[in-house]
Amino acid sequence: MSRSAKRFYTVAWSAQDTTGGPLDEVFRALREELPDLTIERVRRTHPGDDDNVWWLTLAEADSDVQIDSAEGGEPPFVLESDTDPARRVATVAMAVTTLSGKRLRAGSLFPGNQP
């Protein structure tokens, strides 16, 4: 899905927005490392839609990253991008390491994956 198409289905997620769970720690750590990081949350269009989905975007990166959480921002977190298949990570530390700026800027979360 293109960046412009994603934005139709998302709302901005500011530093003041919180899930009330460990995902807030992930976002806080990433924002400290990457001040230019944009986070958007999927907007629920129907009552049954899952809105525990966020898009992480760096303007200079070729690919956006999707992160899903359990209800209330709880792990496990599911991380994926255009070049990386979905993978579960169980902790805040694993999510922050996987979503590091170096990997986000390179467009590949999991070393060794091919686009």
Side-chain angles (χ1 to χ4, degrees):
M1 183 181 294
S2 72
R3 283 184 176 176
S4 60
K6 280 182 217 156
R7 285 181 182 26
F8 180 76
Y9 297 104
T10 62
V11 293
W13 193 257
S14 74
Q16 290 74 39
D17 293 316
T18 63
T19 65
L23 185 59
D24 296 334
E25 297 173 47
V26 174
F27 290 161
R28 193 170 14 263
L30 292 174
R31 282 188 166 117
E32 285 178 13
E33 180 185 358
L34 305 162
D36 56 337
L37 179 69
T38 299
I39 301 175
E40 296 170 294
R41 187 175 190 174
V42 169
R43 180 176 38 164
R44 191 184 300 212
T45 55
H46 301 287
D49 287 349
D50 180 5
D51 65 348
N52 295 306
V53 178
W54 290 262
W55 290 100
L56 310 179
T57 304
L58 287 173
E60 72 270 17
D62 292 334
S63 179
D64 295 343
V65 172
Q66 179 179 324
I67 182 168
D68 300 32
S69 75
E71 190 68 34
E74 293 292 326
F77 307 116
V78 178
L79 312 175
E80 62 185 300
S81 73
D82 294 336
T83 59
D84 298 288
R87 289 202 192 170
R88 286 177 176 258
V89 297
T91 67
V92 167
M94 290 172 64
V96 170
T97 298
T98 302
L99 295 169
S100 74
K102 180 179 177 183
R103 290 182 178 181
L104 281 175
R105 285 189 177 94
S108 182
L109 301 178
F110 309 110
N113 281 356
Q114 299 296 318

